[in-house]
Amino acid sequence: MLCLTLTESTIAKDLEVLERNRRFVSMSELRVDCLASGEMEKAVDFPKKAAMPIILTCRRISDGGKCELADKARIEILSRVAEGSFAYVDIEDDVKRRDLKIKRGEQSIDFEASLKARGIRIIRSFHDFEGVPADLFGRISKLAARGDIPKVAVMPQSMLDVITLFRIHDELREIKEKIVIGMGAYGVCTRILYKRCGSMLSFCSDNEAAPGQLSAQTMKELYHADSVNDLTHIYGVIGNPVLQTKSPVIHNPGFHAIHYNAIYVPFQVDSVRAFFKLAEMLPVYGFSVTIPHKRNVLPYLGRITREVKQIGSCNTVVHIQSMWKGINTDYYGFLEPLSSRLTDGTIKSALVIGAGGASRAIVWALRNHDVKVTVVNRTVEHAKALAMETMSAYDSLDHISAYSGSVDLVVQTTSVGMTPHEQDDASKGYLFSGKEIAFDLVYKPRETVFLRRAKEAGCRTISGALMLLEQGKLQFEAFTGYHYPSSLHPVI
Ligand code: ATR
């Protein structure tokens, strides 16, 4: 189940948000701690208006909420709103028994018993914004012991913490109803793959109501998170940071289009070694690799292609014949838009700006196609090292003007000109003749100053967005064995 967290200040606004997201979720959580004081009365009728199962929650500040009241007064509010037809009420695990006794006139009511008598399920929640406690499994079992639904929302700080959350599925299998949430960047994969953590639901919201929450539309339409089952093949991308990656937008719609029961998830990874452990455990069938792990994965690969060996960097790993195989689709993604001009010999010479990791793949790809390359770089020693290895020429970036109009292709491989520094241009001083092809690896913005200058001079230009898409399509082929569906045009 996907559950929409509602944190607006009025019931009317909460209903508006719910209507907007209704088709993506099957239940909602009404966070009454976010409501303005006059709205509490209206909250009682919310479940009727919402017409779906609702969790009633009044979260205190220490657990990421807004309620400043002491527990006694907070539970009092909860009990009044709970007169409505809620399906669940969330009560934190450390609320004292005496605070759950409520005065109604002369009468003292046991709040828990009254909820149970009305068939309202209690969610017993535990939050840890600092990490994952060592006794997590014991805590879940204890919370479940009273017949309540245990909920743990914890903040994994590493891939090892994430592994702990994924172990819950098998190790606490006997607790059928439970809610497991990994918050923050490391936790995003556990939110999407919530079923593989043994969680009965995952929360989503329009406004990231808790750290790492994704929107309901993203959870439903991009990831189909609620359709994941034990047979779903898991793929992903590892990086640090990784959440900015556009790759899920390429792969998930692709899997869906070919009716492949598979999902592609971002994994924030600090330790590649730990990730390989998770990959064996889940299992993960294949994954993309982004900064800073393109070299770090190499020691774990049983087989690598010639390009990976030459470039010393791998951006795609697939599990084949009980072995991890590393390939580099950046290499082929770069070549793809140039392929006809490389084979017909139109491109004989190239100027490559930059001598970092991205540049290595490009220089090797060009050299393997017999193109004469000159590497220009800010730090000339870096250009020299790459040039020596690839039998290319090199120079300082300061001398770039000397190469104006003398090459068939200019490739810009640095991050200069990338959002938010759109005005910067690493090729300053180079004057385009209009005959050369200009290729920028930067994909945001689509038209950098470098590409604009080239276009104005009459050059053919290629944006990094095209290379990104091409390398993604090749990864898709490596993952699935199928061509990327031609009907799809992912916006990246
Ligand atoms: P990547 O793996 O994305 O290529 P990298 O290995 O850090 O990233 O390489 C960055 C490249 O961009 C390098 O060639 C770097 O030049 P230096 O070798 O002198 O560091 C280049 N670069 C980064 N910022 C730059 C800037 N402001 N002007 C010119 N070149 C720059």
Side-chain angles (χ1 to χ4, degrees):
M1 287 184 287
L2 295 179
C3 180
L4 182 69
T5 303
L6 297 166
T7 53
E8 296 297 326
S9 59
T10 67
I11 289 293
K13 283 191 204 159
D14 276 333
L15 281 167
E16 243 173 65
V17 175
L18 176 56
E19 282 320 318
R20 222 171 35 229
N21 288 285
R22 184 180 285 282
R23 64 188 193 281
F24 309 129
V25 297
S26 51
M27 62 189 297
S28 297
E29 177 189 40
L30 180 64
R31 286 272 305 277
V32 293
D33 53 293
C34 300
L35 289 176
S37 50
E39 292 288 313
M40 230 34 110
E41 301 299 314
K42 297 182 204 159
V44 179
D45 281 339
F46 186 81
K48 254 197 220 143
K49 290 187 177 143
M52 67 166 63
I54 305 292
I55 302 173
L56 171 62
T57 301
C58 186
R59 195 65 78 223
R60 56 195 176 193
I61 289 180
S62 58
D63 289 338
K66 291 193 173 159
C67 183
E68 295 173 338
L69 299 171
D71 273 359
K72 185 98 190 144
R74 194 169 58 91
I75 299 298
E76 179 62 40
I77 288 180
L78 213 47
S79 74
R80 268 190 282 133
V81 180
E83 307 271 307
S85 50
F86 288 88
Y88 307 87
V89 172
D90 183 307
I91 302 175
E92 294 77 4
D93 72 319
D94 60 351
V95 174
K96 303 253 173 357
R97 292 222 121 234
R98 64 165 190 274
D99 289 337
L100 291 166
K101 299 273 183 264
I102 296 152
K103 280 248 177 274
R104 283 275 187 280
E106 287 307 296
Q107 260 191 324
S108 169
I109 298 168
D110 180 333
F111 182 41
E112 283 184 289
S114 76
L115 290 175
K116 283 180 182 164
R118 292 171 52 217
I120 299 177
R121 300 293 307 280
I122 297 171
I123 295 172
R124 277 277 167 185
S125 60
F126 165 75
H127 293 80
D128 188 338
F129 286 86
E130 304 290 314
V132 177
D135 62 343
L136 185 69
F137 293 8
R139 268 179 186 277
I140 297 173
S141 303
K142 209 170 117 211
L143 294 176
R146 279 195 279 181
D148 298 339
I149 299 170
K151 170 183 168 182
V152 288
V154 294
M155 186 75 78
Q157 303 284 0
S158 66
M159 194 25 74
L160 283 177
D161 282 346
V162 169
I163 290 176
T164 303
L165 296 183
F166 279 111
R167 278 178 44 221
I168 293 173
H169 181 264
D170 281 344
E171 301 210 8
L172 296 176
R173 209 174 258 281
E174 72 285 358
I175 303 171
K176 295 272 177 274
E177 291 177 307
K178 56 187 174 306
I179 303 171
V180 180
I181 297 148
M183 296 185 287
Y186 283 103
V188 167
C189 59
T190 68
R191 289 185 183 276
I192 299 169
L193 296 170
Y194 67 98
K195 292 192 177 180
R196 290 297 186 88
C197 294
S199 184
M200 62 189 264
L201 61 84
S202 190
F203 292 95
C204 34
S205 63
D206 276 2
N207 55 350
E208 200 178 348
Q213 255 184 23
L214 302 177
S215 76
Q217 184 168 10
T218 301
M219 288 286 265
K220 178 80 178 178
E221 294 198 328
L222 178 60
Y223 290 108
H224 304 277
D226 55 337
S227 302
V228 169
N229 55 33
D230 286 346
L231 300 176
T232 303
H233 286 193
I234 298 172
Y235 294 84
V237 48
I238 68 166
N240 193 1
V242 74
L243 300 184
Q244 80 297 343
T245 175
K246 298 286 178 192
S247 300
V249 177
I250 299 176
H251 295 290
N252 286 304
F255 292 157
H256 204 59
I258 64 167
H259 305 288
Y260 179 30
N261 181 5
I263 185 168
Y264 182 95
V265 179
F267 292 97
Q268 170 103 357
V269 169
D270 54 339
S271 152
V272 166
R273 182 188 162 96
F275 177 75
F276 273 97
K277 197 172 159 199
L278 178 71
E280 304 273 345
M281 187 181 118
L282 278 176
V284 172
Y285 285 74
F287 56 94
S288 317
V289 187
T290 186
I291 294 164
H293 296 314
K294 289 186 182 188
R295 294 181 85 89
N296 302 344
V297 294
L298 298 179
Y300 301 91
L301 305 176
R303 269 169 66 191
I304 55 172
T305 57
R306 179 185 68 152
E307 301 81 51
V308 171
K309 197 166 182 185
Q310 284 180 330
I311 304 162
S313 130
C314 164
N315 80 328
T316 311
V317 177
V318 283
H319 201 246
I320 293 177
Q321 291 161 346
S322 311
M323 190 186 285
W324 293 108
K325 180 181 176 190
I327 54 185
N328 194 314
T329 65
D330 286 339
Y331 176 99
Y332 292 102
F334 166 74
L335 288 174
E336 183 66 31
L338 301 172
S339 60
S340 61
R341 286 181 168 78
L342 283 169
T343 41
D344 71 12
T346 320
I347 301 173
K348 292 195 184 66
S349 61
L351 184 69
V352 175
I353 305 169
S359 173
R360 284 186 69 81
I362 275 61
V363 174
W364 273 112
L366 292 170
R367 292 298 297 129
N368 287 342
H369 286 79
D370 231 7
V371 176
K372 195 168 152 283
V373 174
T374 304
V375 182
V376 287
N377 195 47
R378 180 178 60 180
T379 310
V380 77
E381 290 77 33
H382 297 165
K384 183 179 178 185
L386 180 56
M388 291 297 149
E389 213 180 308
T390 55
M391 288 183 287
S392 308
Y394 69 94
D395 206 338
S396 160
L397 184 58
D398 292 340
H399 301 154
I400 192 170
S401 61
Y403 297 87
S404 297
S406 67
V407 289
D408 304 320
L409 169 72
V410 184
V411 191
Q412 199 297 109
T413 73
T414 77
S415 53
V416 178
M418 194 190 285
T419 306
H421 303 290
E422 284 102 343
Q423 293 319 308
D424 295 350
D425 177 10
S427 69
K428 219 184 297 163
Y430 181 95
L431 296 176
F432 290 95
S433 70
K435 292 201 196 82
E436 64 273 61
I437 299 171
F439 198 141
D440 200 336
L441 264 50
V442 169
Y443 62 90
K444 207 171 169 195
R446 254 159 208 269
E447 191 176 83
T448 54
V449 173
F450 167 76
L451 288 188
R452 193 167 63 238
R453 288 204 308 112
K455 199 164 135 192
E456 282 165 6
C459 296
R460 183 174 169 245
T461 61
I462 304 171
S463 158
L466 184 59
M467 174 173 161
L468 191 66
L469 188 57
E470 290 303 334
Q471 68 78 25
K473 287 179 176 178
L474 292 164
Q475 283 186 332
F476 185 86
E477 276 185 38
F479 292 154
T480 65
Y482 285 85
H483 285 302
Y484 194 75
S486 56
S487 57
L488 294 180
H489 305 284
V491 179
I492 52 174

